[in-house]
Amino acid sequence: MTSLNGILPVWKPEGWTSHDVVAKVRGIVREKRIGHTGTLDPQVTGVLPLCVGKATRIVEYLQELPKQYEAVLRFGVATDTEDSSGTVMERMDAAHLTEERVREVMASFSGQIDQVPPMYSAVKVNGQRLYELAREGKTVERKSRTVTIHDIEVLDMNLSVSEPTVRFRVTCSKGTYIRTLCVDIGRALEVPSTMESLIRTMSAQYTAEQCYTIEQIQQAANEGSVEALLQPVEQAMSHVPALHMLDAFAHYAVQGRGIPFRACSFQPLTNQLYRLYDEQEAFYGLFHVPAEDTCLRPVKVFLPSTT
């Protein structure tokens, strides 16, 4: 059986954990080496790229890329989980909110912001998951984290009710809690708020249109065509600049030897990651120049025959 290597963009169904998806796909494609690129809560649907086979070696890079979501924020109600799955803790009439004020406040959350992780999250404090403490009825102090909101866009609003809603799209950095963003927006407007629903529409540059459902993956496995669903490693790393080397030095890359600058298409920068290709456009992996070095060195090698 041919070894499977590449990125499989999956559309995560509601009610499944990210681990459930990984376990299911492992069983379908019969490949143990599968890792996901960022956890989604069970009630959240959306884009969940899986790294299969040798592609698991780039999970760390894909996890760092921005993610995009579409969320519905409900004003006038607050829950203990910061989303609609929790117990209602507070209610108030928020019909006084105006479109101008809501847009103004939401726009103010663009850029770097500080967030306090919610109690119902997987963050560890003193070795314990916060959600475990929350289930015991405990609340502990959490350190705030700086995250980046690259873009936030209002898609539509319904403000003519006591519990107004806003549907918005947000592009953000790794580690951003959209639930907490919803709560913080409400706090800035001086009303309770919660996240009603959430869909992840982009992760690791993959969009909803590029994703496959579990049923489609199962059908491909039945037909023996799973390999055709996989995206190549080099495509997944397309955000990293490309560098070419002379064919005469290709064996240096394979052997893990330093490649001199004279063999490169341009002089690489120190501590910058590059996708390395030969003159025939064969992909050799990820390389960089360590500090105080004068050669290009391997970080993750992917031989052309195995990409």
Side-chain angles (χ1 to χ4, degrees), residues 14-88:
E14 186 176 359
W16 293 48
T17 66
S18 298
H19 179 74
D20 290 339
V21 174
V22 170
K24 182 67 173 179
V25 174
R26 275 186 184 137
I28 292 173
V29 306
R30 298 184 181 180
E31 170 59 62
K32 291 182 179 179
R33 294 174 302 169
I34 296 182
H36 65 74
T37 58
T39 303
L40 280 177
D41 290 340
Q43 71 271 26
V44 179
T45 61
V47 180
L48 184 68
L50 302 185
C51 293
V52 181
K54 290 183 172 65
T56 53
R57 299 168 66 205
I58 65 165
V59 165
E60 62 191 282
Y61 302 110
L62 300 189
Q63 286 178 337
E64 295 298 322
L65 294 176
K67 297 171 174 59
Q68 188 179 84
Y69 299 88
E70 284 189 13
V72 174
L73 183 168
R74 181 173 291 278
F75 295 113
V77 58
T79 70
D80 57 351
T81 59
E82 302 187 348
D83 62 21
S84 58
S85 69
T87 301
V88 173

Side-chain angles (χ1 to χ4, degrees), residues 114 118 256:
D114 289 330

Side-chain angles (χ1 to χ4, degrees), residues 185-254:
I185 290 170
R187 187 175 291 119
L189 287 162
E190 300 183 333
V191 296
S193 58
T194 192
M195 185 184 78
E196 185 167 277
S197 65
L198 184 67
I199 300 171
R200 186 154 73 189
T201 53
M202 184 190 73
S203 179
Q205 303 185 76
Y206 294 99
T207 63
E209 292 73 27
Q210 294 171 285
C211 287
Y212 299 98
T213 63
I214 297 296
E215 293 76 18
Q216 288 172 320
I217 297 167
Q218 181 66 69
Q219 183 178 346
N222 296 343
E223 297 169 353
S225 59
V226 169
E227 196 168 3
L229 307 185
L230 299 176
Q231 307 296 316
V233 167
E234 59 180 299
Q235 179 180 310
M237 296 297 294
S238 62
H239 59 287
V240 171
L243 181 66
H244 289 74
M245 65 179 167
L246 298 174
D247 287 350
F249 289 84
H251 64 289
Y252 280 40
V254 174

Side-chain angles (χ1 to χ4, degrees), residues 88-221:
V88 173
M89 307 296 287
E90 182 183 2
R91 269 204 157 94
M92 70 173 279
D93 191 325
H96 64 279
L97 294 176
T98 65
E99 179 176 344
E100 181 182 11
R101 181 62 179 146
V102 171
R103 287 185 181 275
E104 178 187 5
V105 166
M106 291 185 71
S108 73
F109 280 83
S110 290
Q112 287 195 332
I113 62 171
D114 289 330
Q115 282 193 333
V116 176
M119 279 302 301
Y120 281 90
S121 67
V123 173
K124 281 187 176 180
V125 172
N126 298 325
Q128 269 196 289
R129 301 282 186 189
L130 286 177
Y131 64 76
E132 294 173 346
L133 295 169
R135 286 169 183 165
E136 295 171 7
K138 298 176 182 176
T139 300
V140 297
E141 186 177 347
R142 291 94 72 199
K143 292 182 180 179
S144 67
R145 297 176 167 192
T146 300
V147 297
T148 302
I149 305 298
H150 299 288
D151 184 63
I152 185 165
E153 176 189 3
V154 173
L155 299 176
D156 57 56
M157 297 184 180
N158 178 15
L159 302 183
S160 58
V161 291
S162 62
E163 293 183 4
T165 57
V166 176
R167 187 168 65 91
F168 66 96
R169 180 184 298 120
V170 59
T171 306
C172 56
S173 65
K174 169 191 175 185
T176 304
Y177 284 96
I178 309 302
R179 286 179 286 154
T180 302
L181 177 62
C182 289
V183 169
D184 288 344
I185 290 170
R187 187 175 291 119
L189 287 162
E190 300 183 333
V191 296
S193 58
T194 192
M195 185 184 78
E196 185 167 277
S197 65
L198 184 67
I199 300 171
R200 186 154 73 189
T201 53
M202 184 190 73
S203 179
Q205 303 185 76
Y206 294 99
T207 63
E209 292 73 27
Q210 294 171 285
C211 287
Y212 299 98
T213 63
I214 297 296
E215 293 76 18
Q216 288 172 320
I217 297 167
Q218 181 66 69
Q219 183 178 346

